[in-house]
Amino acid sequence: MPTSTIDGKDAAAIQAAREGVAVCDRSFWGRIRVADDDRIRFLHNQTTNDFQILQPGQGCDTVMVTSTARTIDLVSAYILDDAVLLLVSPNRRDFLMQWLDRYIFFADKVQLTDVTEETATFSLIGPNSDAIIEKLGAGAIIGKPSKNHLLVDGGLIVAVGSGLASPGYTLILPATDKQKVWQQILELGAVELSDRAWDTLRIIQGRPTPDAELTDDYNPLEVGLWQTISLSKGCYIGQETIARLNTYKGVKQNLWGIRLSAPVEVGSAIALGEEKIGKLTSYTETSEGYFGLGYIRTKAGGVGLKVKVGEVDGEIVDIPFVSHEYPQ
């Protein structure tokens, strides 16, 4: 949802995510299990990141793109002993099941299973997440790289990374254990973070979402998802376009945060003087004021640029989830 407005309870939960620990129920996100012998090769060929360098217990963020490198979804992938578990956006779950299935050919040993209904997902967000992870019996994962994960007794997967730019963890567990684990996390001191507050945080931090920042109008380099892209792994869907954009420094627009002076409508034009230079893709009202995400033409500038968003004054600011530096 590209627009979000928070109340006092949400504001307190966002504060907990920044200074303590919050927990968000993301069970309505999609979970797709990719199994059988060719699963790694298959995902390697369908997405932007390098799956062939990953071992069980590791993982990555990756982008599903079209043949012309337009963005479909930002996906978290966790490599298990016998499968790969994909955490996908709620509004891309059915689409990606069909889209991935279309690329499985007769000789491919790949099995796709939608396991959303039989599993649950929580995100622990904040600097005090480690203490709860320790109590859940997953202390060995603390300090490991993003998307590294381990299996705790009872089928609980604990992975490094909150899904946002904030420190934290993602938990994937059997749906039958959902209420028990949720209650345990709350009793250990986590503050409940609503879907609305999650959306506010993701806008402030610049995590892109389908139908807003991830659409057929944009490629992953314009979004700034460099951490999800392997420039050395060879052929995959959309690879030629991404390689060309990188080689020739051809990114024509970038996703930025915009600090706003008043409320504004998503879809509003972003202008510098009389010239239109971009479009607002997401908006939220926070306890600190108004904030949006939008794409701005590269040549117009970046951080510190003063713009008009519709009739509202705005200033371009950094967002921690993305980067606009070409790799060295």
Side-chain angles (χ1 to χ4, degrees):
M1 192 171 66
T3 303
S4 182
T5 305
I6 61 168
D7 57 20
K9 187 178 177 184
D10 289 334
I14 288 171
Q15 192 73 6
R18 287 172 173 163
E19 298 179 0
V21 57
V23 60
C24 184
D25 184 356
R26 295 172 65 199
S27 299
F28 65 101
W29 288 56
R31 286 166 295 281
I32 297 172
R33 191 174 190 271
V34 186
D36 220 334
D37 293 350
D38 294 331
R39 62 188 182 276
I40 297 294
R41 179 187 59 79
F42 175 73
L43 289 170
H44 188 82
N45 292 342
Q46 306 308 321
T47 75
T48 57
N49 220 328
D50 189 341
F51 277 77
Q52 292 182 343
I53 63 171
L54 299 174
Q55 300 298 317
Q58 297 179 320
C60 66
D61 277 343
T62 193
V63 184
M64 304 285 187
V65 293
T66 67
S67 58
T68 54
R70 302 300 181 167
T71 55
I72 297 171
D73 196 13
L74 171 62
V75 172
S76 294
Y78 304 101
I79 313 298
L80 312 178
D81 286 333
D82 58 349
V84 179
L85 193 58
L86 304 179
L87 181 61
V88 308
S89 297
N91 55 353
R92 287 294 184 265
R93 168 186 167 191
D94 293 335
F95 176 89
L96 284 176
M97 278 293 291
Q98 296 168 23
W99 186 77
L100 289 169
D101 186 62
R102 204 165 69 233
Y103 288 100
I104 300 174
F105 299 110
F106 180 74
D108 291 338
K109 294 182 177 178
V110 178
Q111 293 182 350
L112 302 175
T113 311
D114 186 337
V115 296
T116 306
E117 300 303 326
E118 62 207 59
T119 54
T121 296
F122 304 148
S123 275
L124 280 173
I125 310 161
N128 294 349
S129 300
D130 289 358
I132 292 180
I133 291 303
E134 194 90 56
K135 295 274 178 51
L136 292 175
I141 201 68
I142 295 172
K144 299 290 186 184
S146 179
K147 302 301 174 294
N148 274 36
H149 54 92
L150 56 77
L151 189 63
V152 182
D153 290 344
L156 169 65
I157 297 170
V158 178
V160 178
S162 65
L164 297 168
S166 303
Y169 298 87
T170 298
L171 281 55
I172 302 174
L173 57 149
T176 50
D177 294 336
K178 180 180 178 181
Q179 289 307 319
K180 179 185 75 176
V181 175
W182 179 258
Q183 198 56 43
Q184 189 179 1
I185 289 170
L186 292 179
E187 287 170 1
L188 288 169
V191 176
E192 182 175 348
L193 187 88
S194 70
D195 300 337
R196 190 173 53 235
W198 165 278
D199 200 54
T200 290
L201 269 177
R202 77 115 196 132
I203 293 170
I204 291 168
Q205 297 185 2
R207 179 186 168 121
T209 196
D211 299 330
E213 292 77 38
L214 303 176
T215 74
D216 208 36
D217 294 324
Y218 311 113
N219 63 64
L221 304 192
E222 293 171 333
V223 189
L225 294 173
W226 289 97
Q227 76 275 22
T228 70
I229 297 164
S230 169
L231 295 169
S232 60
K233 75 171 191 168
C235 191
Y236 60 92
I237 291 176
Q239 182 262 341
E240 286 184 16
T241 300
I242 288 173
R244 190 165 61 248
L245 285 168
N246 176 59
T247 299
Y248 297 106
K249 306 283 192 287
V251 176
K252 291 185 169 59
Q253 57 190 340
N254 289 132
L255 181 67
W256 292 105
I258 309 169
R259 197 175 290 120
L260 299 157
S261 62
V264 68
E265 290 290 320
V266 169
S268 295
I270 302 169
L272 186 62
E274 297 299 312
E275 185 184 7
K276 181 184 175 184
I277 58 168
K279 184 177 83 168
L280 191 77
T281 55
S282 288
Y283 164 81
T284 187
E285 188 174 330
T286 78
S287 51
E288 288 102 32
Y290 313 102
F291 196 86
L293 295 175
Y295 284 93
I296 305 266
R297 283 217 305 270
T298 310
K299 289 181 179 176
V303 173
L305 190 69
K306 302 291 197 298
V307 296
K308 282 280 189 186
V309 183
E311 299 302 314
V312 170
D313 291 330
E315 180 182 352
I316 306 306
V317 296
D318 257 328
I319 37 178
F321 197 89
V322 303
S323 167
H324 298 309
E325 296 293 324
Y326 285 91
Q328 298 300 311

